[in-house]
Structure formats: structure tokens, C-alpha cells
Amino acid sequence: MAMKDVHILMLSQSPPVILDGVASNFTLLRAWEQPDRDAFIREVASDIRGLVPGSHYHVGAALFDMLPNLEIVSNMGVGYDTIDAREAGRRGIIVTNTPDVLTDEVADLAVGLLLATVRQLPQVDRYLRDGQWLKKPYPLTATLRGRKVGILGLGRIGKAVAKRLEAFGLEIGYHGRSKQEGVAYHYEPTLAGLAKWCDVLLSVAPGGKETDGIVNAEVLKALGPDGIL
């Protein structure tokens, strides 16, 4: 079978480099361009061997039932909590992700969000654009100095965030299923304990049923009114 005979269904639009790459090697079916997405999928269902879901759609038994010849679900991202990987495995469908592609980008953005929160950059930007600085200076904002940062989920991205925050001279702790060998950061066996220990709590945990609501009232109370999540 020629590669062009392999039909790949893409549920949502992707950057041109991805669209062009898939289309140049396979027959690409663009579900997001169809007026009735579900009707279109049913029409071409038997031809589809690969699926690129995007982050907005749940991929599970109902969709698998529609695609009898599906062989692979290719997720362009680290997490695949929107995909029922267990059900896919039961049916012999391969599920792939891209664990290292966005690690540095996400870590950079996480640090940027932390700086923006502590130094109130969005508020200061609005203050400037509204011309309020002509009336009086913006009040001094807080600082990162002396803060302890707790990381929930010290995986690839968690470690990349921690490495960046080390450069700020911040003390770092973490919580996960177990203490990691060869990691020098402070470990807390409970999430509430980590929240009590730190001033800033960064959640880098994957989504899904196992972590749904994990940052609960107990954790927020432990973090305190001056904490940052």
C-alpha cells in the first residue's frame, strides 16, 4: 500500500508545518472544515487508519466505535488526558505523544507567568495604557526574593521549571508519588505539606481523573492568603 492510500483524520486545525507534513505523505481528511463533522466522519470512517485529535476533543470508545480500522492516535503534546489510552490499548490502537517537544517552551512560559503575577505586569500594563501613570506612579509591587517554590509534578517540565527558578536563587521543593533519587530539592510526602512549606505552588501535574481537584480547599488553606498558585 502506498503512503498516499493511508487516510489520516485531523479533528482540529494545526500549524501549516504539520498540515503540510501530513498532507505530503498521506491523504489528509480535515474534519474542522466540514459543516457537519460527525456526519463527515461517519462517511469516511472505514478509510481512516490514523487520527490526530487536537486538544479539544475527547477520544474514547464512542469515537473508536465509529472508526473500525483505526490503528494509531497521534497526539501533538505531552499530555494525552483527553484520550482513553486504556481503551485504545484494549482495541490494539497505538497512542503516541510528543513528550520533549514543548518542555522548554512550557517551562519558559511558567516562569513568565510567575513573574507577571508577582510583579503585577498585566495590571501595570493596563495602568500605563490607560494613561494613569501621568496622574501618579504605580505602587511598588512584590518580589520573588526569599520565596520558596513548591512544584506539584517533578517530571520533565517540572524539572525544567525548577532549573530556571534556581537561577533566581529560590528554594525549591516538590511533591509527587514518591521521592526521586538523585534530586536535591526538598521533598514533601503530601501536597498539603508542600503547600504549607512554600510561598508559590506550581502545578505541573497531568490532567485526568487521578488529579482532578487535587488542589483542594485543604491545599489552598495550607498555601495561605499570601500564597501564589
Side-chain angles (χ1 to χ4, degrees):
M1 177 182 289
M3 296 292 282
K4 275 291 186 179
D5 293 331
V6 177
H7 289 65
I8 306 296
L9 175 66
M10 191 172 289
L11 297 181
S12 58
Q13 190 167 10
S14 295
V17 64
I18 296 174
L19 292 175
D20 294 343
V22 175
S24 64
N25 291 281
F26 307 97
T27 296
L28 176 60
L29 305 175
R30 308 168 190 242
W32 73 90
E33 294 180 348
Q34 309 303 317
D36 188 332
R37 183 177 68 97
D38 290 341
F40 171 72
I41 293 175
R42 285 192 292 270
E43 181 182 340
V44 298
S46 61
D47 295 328
I48 298 169
R49 294 177 60 193
L51 174 67
V52 182
S55 59
H56 304 296
Y57 299 99
H58 176 73
V59 177
L63 185 54
F64 294 149
D65 286 342
M66 293 174 65
L67 308 175
N69 298 313
L70 184 64
E71 299 176 18
I72 185 170
V73 178
S74 180
N75 187 60
M76 294 176 292
V78 178
Y80 49 90
D81 44 284
T82 58
I83 302 170
D84 189 341
R86 189 183 302 275
E87 178 63 20
R90 190 182 71 79
R91 297 174 184 238
I93 300 170
I94 297 170
V95 175
T96 67
N97 65 338
T98 53
D100 287 317
V101 172
L102 297 175
T103 297
D104 287 331
E105 301 301 329
V106 176
D108 288 349
L109 187 56
V111 174
L113 289 171
L114 176 56
L115 285 169
T117 301
V118 174
R119 301 310 302 269
Q120 299 182 19
L121 297 185
Q123 297 92 320
V124 173
D125 181 73
R126 287 195 296 270
Y127 190 88
L128 174 66
R129 294 177 187 276
D130 290 342
Q132 298 299 319
W133 64 278
L134 294 169
K135 301 175 184 178
K136 60 179 180 179
Y138 191 88
L140 291 175
T141 59
T143 177
L144 273 179
R145 304 285 75 74
R147 293 180 189 259
K148 295 179 179 178
V149 178
I151 299 176
L152 167 59
L154 198 69
R156 291 183 181 89
I157 294 175
K159 286 185 172 71
V161 173
K163 181 179 179 180
R164 284 156 173 75
L165 294 180
E166 281 188 72
F168 288 84
L170 304 181
E171 190 173 353
I172 298 167
Y174 71 99
H175 168 71
R177 292 188 181 92
S178 59
K179 186 176 182 180
Q180 298 188 28
E181 296 295 330
V183 173
Y185 306 132
H186 174 76
Y187 175 71
E188 283 286 344
T190 68
L191 180 53
L194 179 66
K196 185 176 181 180
W197 174 86
C198 69
D199 305 291
V200 176
L201 180 60
L202 287 175
S203 176
V204 201
K209 294 180 180 179
E210 292 184 358
T211 56
D212 185 26
I214 192 171
V215 181
N216 54 23
E218 178 190 9
V219 173
L220 293 174
K221 184 178 180 180
L223 186 58
D226 295 322
I228 295 173
L229 173 61

